[in-house]
Amino acid sequence: MKAIGVDLGGTNIKAAVVDDEKGIVEQVTTPTQAKLGKDHILNRIAETIGDLNRKYEIIGIGMGLPGMVSKDQTTVKHPPNLPGWTVVNAAEEITQRTGIPCKIENDANIAAIGSLHFGVGRNFDSFIMITLGTGVGGGIIIDRNIYKGTQGMAGELGHVIIDYHGPLSNSVTRGTVEAYLGQRFLSRFATDLITQNPSNELYEKFSNDFEKLEPIDLTNAAKEGNELAIEILAKSGQRLGYAIINYVHMMDIRKIVVSGGVSKAGDFLFEPARDIVRKHMMEPFKEGFELVYEDLGNDSALLGAAGLAFNSFS
């Protein structure tokens, strides 16, 4: 079976033909040109799909995009970085333009679906995906299906509050998971600590422009033995551990899959998280607990979008 996966972002539209066994067969990228409006973007998506559809037998289209997506996986509400989009039945719009059935899903849920079909999630019937990127997102898989909640908006894991006196992020309140583990917020936290340690190599490297400091710089410094970088990642990992305890206690799902750029810190982040879990999770929930890294990389969105089509139309 083959499906088309689409990853719609504010900068680029990525599309791929995906085989359910072999993975990505062919992929293309085209600029979104978001400022030209909704219809222009939808037409560009349809043109990109049409070029691929002429070469292969396709069962359906899955598309990942930012924003809140309805429970029936057809309509998106107020997606960021897409001017002029308010409430759009994007699935119907794409089907009308291509003649191919389409479903859409929030981009963090798409990451979970990708892991379920093509990544470490294949090993689990139920798991919680945490995506540590620019912000923090998530997806919840129960019995090999995405959990959508009553209105389709479940899985906003980054907006769970772990310290209401904590720092701000994109959430409406302080101290959410995202405020500690989103890429730019982790960099902000790191900047505060590095500034207090002017003798550290990280201060010498970034003091002229802390805007250039990225989590990968902390990871690389930690690998070289920089104690301050190790401490910063450990403190962030501890926050991740508390967040995971909340998720597991609420959902009774013991498998945690973590992806995204920040997660490349690996055990500098994960071991402190596991230590918090060992110390503070209720004992019955520890049975079967696993925290694992997803390494699908840049292809995860396209694989997940195609996985949505396989779920919906096969």
Side-chain angles (χ1 to χ4, degrees):
M1 276 191 308
K2 292 181 177 61
I4 291 178
V6 178
D7 176 19
L8 172 58
T11 303
N12 290 309
I13 299 164
K14 298 178 183 179
V17 175
V18 179
D19 184 278
D20 64 335
E21 294 182 356
K22 299 176 183 177
I24 293 175
V25 176
E26 181 179 348
Q27 65 176 302
V28 293
T29 300
T30 187
T32 306
Q33 298 178 340
K35 293 181 180 178
L36 296 180
K38 171 176 68 72
D39 288 334
H40 179 79
I41 294 173
L42 291 166
N43 289 336
R44 286 181 74 78
I45 296 169
E47 290 166 7
T48 303
I49 289 169
D51 292 340
L52 294 172
N53 185 45
R54 282 187 280 274
K55 301 178 186 179
Y56 303 93
E57 186 173 342
I58 302 297
I59 66 163
I61 301 163
M63 182 165 70
L65 72 171
M68 305 291 190
V69 172
S70 60
K71 193 170 183 177
D72 64 359
Q73 299 175 319
T74 63
T75 303
V76 63
K77 296 182 178 181
H78 304 282
N81 303 320
L82 297 175
W85 291 54
T86 52
V87 180
V88 180
N89 190 325
E92 182 178 302
E93 296 273 8
I94 294 299
T95 297
Q96 287 177 350
R97 286 167 167 80
T98 64
I100 307 171
C102 176
K103 291 287 186 179
I104 68 171
E105 189 49 84
N106 168 270
D107 46 14
N109 282 346
I110 284 293
I113 296 170
S115 182
L116 174 68
H117 284 274
F118 295 99
V120 296
R122 286 178 292 186
N123 300 317
F124 311 131
D125 289 332
S126 300
F127 63 90
I128 296 171
M129 163 74 83
I130 306 171
T131 58
L132 305 180
T134 303
V136 175
I140 301 166
I141 299 291
I142 299 177
D143 295 330
R144 306 195 68 78
N145 289 298
I146 193 77
Y147 174 69
K148 295 279 289 173
T150 60
Q151 301 295 316
M153 300 177 189
E156 289 292 339
L157 304 181
H159 298 295
V160 170
I161 301 164
I162 54 177
D163 178 7
Y164 60 83
H165 291 304
L168 286 168
S169 64
N170 289 329
S171 300
V172 295
T173 189
R174 292 180 174 274
T176 60
V177 176
E178 180 172 281
Y180 294 102
L181 289 153
Q183 180 171 320
R184 55 184 167 155
F185 305 110
L186 173 54
S187 294
R188 180 182 63 191
F189 170 62
T191 296
D192 290 342
L193 292 184
I194 293 168
T195 302
Q196 298 171 35
N197 291 269
S199 63
N200 192 273
E201 291 179 4
L202 287 168
Y203 183 87
E204 296 173 13
K205 185 174 182 180
F206 292 104
S207 59
N208 290 331
D209 188 0
F210 276 111
E211 291 293 321
K212 293 181 179 179
L213 176 66
E214 302 284 350
I216 190 64
D217 297 309
L218 299 174
T219 299
N220 291 338
K223 289 177 180 177
E224 294 169 0
N226 187 300
E227 292 295 333
L228 181 59
I230 293 170
E231 177 188 349
I232 292 168
L233 291 172
K235 287 182 176 180
S236 298
Q238 289 166 3
R239 267 65 177 243
L240 176 62
Y242 285 116
I244 287 169
I245 291 171
N246 285 332
Y247 305 150
V248 174
H249 284 175
M250 283 189 287
M251 299 300 300
D252 189 24
I253 297 175
R254 319 295 177 82
K255 311 301 182 184
I256 307 295
V257 178
V258 185
S259 70
V262 174
S263 69
K264 292 179 180 178
D267 281 343
F268 290 113
L269 200 67
F270 296 162
E271 274 307 305
R274 292 186 183 106
D275 188 50
I276 291 296
V277 168
R278 284 190 289 266
K279 290 177 180 176
H280 300 295
M281 186 180 283
M282 294 174 67
E283 198 64 33
F285 288 92
K286 294 179 184 177
E287 183 178 349
F289 175 82
E290 287 185 68
L291 168 59
V292 297
Y293 171 60
E294 177 57 83
D295 193 23
L296 284 178
N298 294 332
D299 293 336
S300 61
L302 292 171
L303 293 169
L308 174 63
F310 294 137
N311 279 358
S312 303
F313 306 121
S314 61

